[in-house]
Amino acid sequence: MKSLVTFVLMLVSMGALDLTGDLLLRVVFKALTSILFVLTGLFAIGERKSGSGYARLILTGLVFGFAGDVLLELANLKGDLYFVIGLVTFALGHVFYLIAFFRKSRFQWFNLIPTCIVIPAVLIAIPVTGAFDFTPPALFYAVIAYGVILTFMVGKSFSFTTYKDNPAFVRLTVTGAILFAVSDIILLFILFFRPVLVLPREDTVKQVLTVCNLLTYYLGQGLIALSLRKEP
């Protein structure tokens, strides 16, 4: 029950985060909102009473997600270095998710489908459109490397469809992973797509993208955390 309460509180805190304009307050609310999905995972483990290696790895990934959130928000105050560190931290979180997923199922070739679709599409679309601004240019390669890890994590989650006797675990994990990926695609446009970059914060398009990014991200992390209640 505690995990469901912290999940709901996370969504409420996310609403406060979206309404906050002050950059320093955003860091505070981002940290508060993100620590709530860590607590959701922690309480979910307690409710399931599993304490498995899989659960500990997922919880570690959630902690790295929390740290990445704070670092990316600090990037708005401190600059690109915090963004790169935050990106690396997020990537490490996905690595822990991947390791956890491999504890549940072996590698299968269809796990690579999201990577084989998304990464070539991004590599073609960005240079062809010329509408994306990566400054410094090294950020482009960092984003691509992150994208490879993210999409592979999503593809690996598809292996859980073999757990026919535990559909709740499958739905929570796979949906969470997909929402996480969707949030990062939206973030790509918010941070690097020139037509969006030039828009003021108050612009409706930018606000809608920001809300969609926050909602898909926190739902994704929250559902992955809640899945620990149903771990087989």
Side-chain angles (χ1 to χ4, degrees), residues 50-186:
S50 64
S52 67
Y54 173 86
R56 289 192 293 270
L57 286 166
I58 293 295
L59 185 63
T60 303
L62 291 169
V63 171
F64 271 94
F66 157 72
D69 282 336
V70 175
L71 287 166
L72 289 183
E73 205 59 52
L74 283 172
N76 295 322
L77 295 170
K78 302 292 186 178
D80 291 336
L81 179 60
Y82 280 84
F83 178 84
V84 173
I85 297 173
L87 201 65
V88 171
T89 304
F90 263 119
L92 287 172
H94 290 312
V95 168
F96 278 102
Y97 287 162
L98 266 173
I99 295 172
F101 292 170
F102 271 107
R103 289 180 71 103
K104 290 290 186 186
S105 62
R106 295 179 179 179
F107 170 78
Q108 295 168 295
W109 288 109
F110 68 77
N111 297 151
L112 293 174
I113 290 176
T115 305
C116 292
I117 293 174
V118 174
I119 299 304
V122 171
L123 287 171
I124 293 170
I126 288 178
V128 168
T129 62
F132 290 83
D133 181 18
F134 291 91
T135 306
L139 276 178
F140 171 73
Y141 302 102
V143 168
I144 293 300
Y146 173 81
V148 170
I149 298 172
L150 170 66
T151 52
F152 186 35
M153 183 273 292
V154 174
K156 191 70 194 76
S157 73
F158 295 163
S159 295
F160 287 176
T161 54
T162 57
Y163 288 100
K164 305 293 185 182
D165 58 339
N166 199 329
F169 172 73
V170 175
R171 286 195 297 266
L172 289 169
T173 306
V174 176
T175 304
I178 291 173
L179 286 173
F180 202 148
V182 170
S183 75
D184 279 339
I185 292 172
I186 297 171

Side-chain angles (χ1 to χ4, degrees), residues 174-218:
V174 176
T175 304
I178 291 173
L179 286 173
F180 202 148
V182 170
S183 75
D184 279 339
I185 292 172
I186 297 171
L187 189 61
L188 178 71
F189 282 88
I190 293 174
L191 295 179
F192 302 111
F193 192 54
R194 287 193 183 94
V196 176
L197 281 172
V198 298
L199 296 175
R201 175 178 167 78
E202 298 77 17
D203 183 86
T204 302
V205 172
K206 198 161 193 172
Q207 288 184 337
V208 169
L209 285 173
T210 300
V211 170
C212 290
N213 167 248
L214 289 174
L215 185 59
T216 51
Y217 171 71
Y218 280 110

